[in-house]
């Protein structure tokens, strides 16, 4: 849960920066948010979650 919340917060910050910087307009940003919202309710959601979990685990195993 903590990883999911962190990813959501990071993506929200990136989206705000892109909108404020003019790289993406509000209309396409709303479409992107809605796409993510509806994608989460499809059958692909568990596969995407497993993929994100494996990336987080890989990053966690990297030792500096």
């Amino acid at each position: 849960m903590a990883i999911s919340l962190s990813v959501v917060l990071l993506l929200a910050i990136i989206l705000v920066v892109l909108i404020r910087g003019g790289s993406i307009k509000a209309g396409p940003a709303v479409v992107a948010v809605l796409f993510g919202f509806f994608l989460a309710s499809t059958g692909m959601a568990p596969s995407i979650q497993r993929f994100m979990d494996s990336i987080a685990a890989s990053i966690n195993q990297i030792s500096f």
Side-chain angles (χ1 to χ4, degrees), residues 13-63:
I13 291 169
I14 291 171
L15 187 60
V16 168
V17 168
L18 288 174
I19 290 171
R20 290 184 58 94
S23 297
I24 188 172
K25 300 294 182 199
V30 169
V31 170
V33 169
L34 289 174
F35 173 73
F37 178 76
F38 287 112
L39 183 63
S41 66
T42 66
M44 288 180 56
S47 299
I48 294 169
Q49 184 65 45
R50 281 193 300 272
F51 176 70
M52 294 303 292
D53 289 342
S54 67
I55 289 175
S58 297
I59 291 172
N60 193 27
Q61 290 178 354
I62 296 174
S63 60

